[in-house]
Amino acid sequence: MNNSKEFLATLSAELKKDTPNWDNLLKLILAHFDCSTGTLHFLDENFLLQLKSQVGIPEFLVPKLSTIPIGKGMAGIAAERRKPVEMCNLQTDDSGVAPPSAKDTKVEGSLAAPLIYDNKLYGTIGIAKPVPYDFTKAEIDLLMQVGELISKKLK
């Protein structure tokens, strides 16, 4: 993992653009965390999470995760709790947090974090690796910082 300060500076520069390229931003985030799959959902006026960008999600699954209610799946639970939700191996998870279709992503180590700024929820970001993985506290904290930067842009 490269330098976090440099990474946050690069993200901040991208977010200063009038219209950030959310796909490029998500790819940058995935590269930093060495992840293969990711999603970025923004909260709409009906308090539903709407897919803004995704990388690595199989095409047939995109309709299932384009709109997520608060409290459903990893993203919905991260939004509801306003805390990161992590899974070491999504393929073997039986907690009920991830819906059965989530196994079709073929990812294992997964982390979903709320996008929060000034105590207001703006959406969620999800990142995942194709192998079992426990994200470190530093990585989870960094993803929360990323979420805050994105939220400042959306406010």
Side-chain angles (χ1 to χ4, degrees):
M1 192 184 290
N2 60 3
N3 181 314
S4 295
K5 279 194 174 126
E6 266 175 53
F7 167 64
L8 290 172
T10 305
L11 276 189
S12 293
E14 179 66 36
L15 288 165
K16 282 193 172 72
K17 295 178 181 172
D18 284 344
T19 311
N21 182 321
W22 298 111
D23 293 338
N24 284 351
L25 198 80
L26 186 56
K27 287 174 186 163
L28 191 70
I29 293 164
L30 293 176
H32 182 79
F33 286 95
D34 194 26
C35 288
S36 59
T37 306
T39 57
L40 192 56
H41 285 86
F42 293 162
L43 196 64
D44 70 12
E45 64 281 351
N46 298 314
F47 297 99
L48 292 169
L49 296 166
Q50 299 294 343
L51 185 66
K52 184 67 179 176
S53 177
Q54 64 85 16
V55 172
I57 301 290
E59 203 55 46
F60 71 94
L61 277 182
V62 173
K64 288 185 177 178
L65 54 86
S66 57
T67 301
I68 298 176
I70 302 287
K72 285 276 194 195
M74 285 183 69
I77 289 172
E80 180 180 60
R81 294 178 183 167
R82 294 171 170 249
K83 289 190 168 103
V85 175
E86 184 191 9
M87 216 164 275
C88 171
N89 189 341
L90 192 117
Q91 297 302 313
T92 58
D93 176 70
D94 57 9
S95 69
V97 168
S101 61
K103 288 182 172 32
D104 293 335
T105 59
K106 304 292 183 231
V107 297
E108 298 188 15
S110 308
L111 176 62
L115 305 178
I116 294 177
Y117 177 68
D118 238 2
N119 212 21
K120 184 173 181 220
L121 180 70
Y122 290 90
T124 60
I125 183 167
I127 61 174
K129 297 175 181 273
V131 295
Y133 186 78
D134 283 313
F135 288 88
T136 65
K137 179 172 179 351
E139 289 170 322
I140 293 169
D141 290 347
L142 183 60
L143 193 62
M144 288 297 289
Q145 281 182 274
V146 166
E148 188 173 324
L149 284 175
I150 293 170
S151 298
K152 282 181 185 175
K153 178 65 181 183
L154 298 175
K155 74 175 179 89

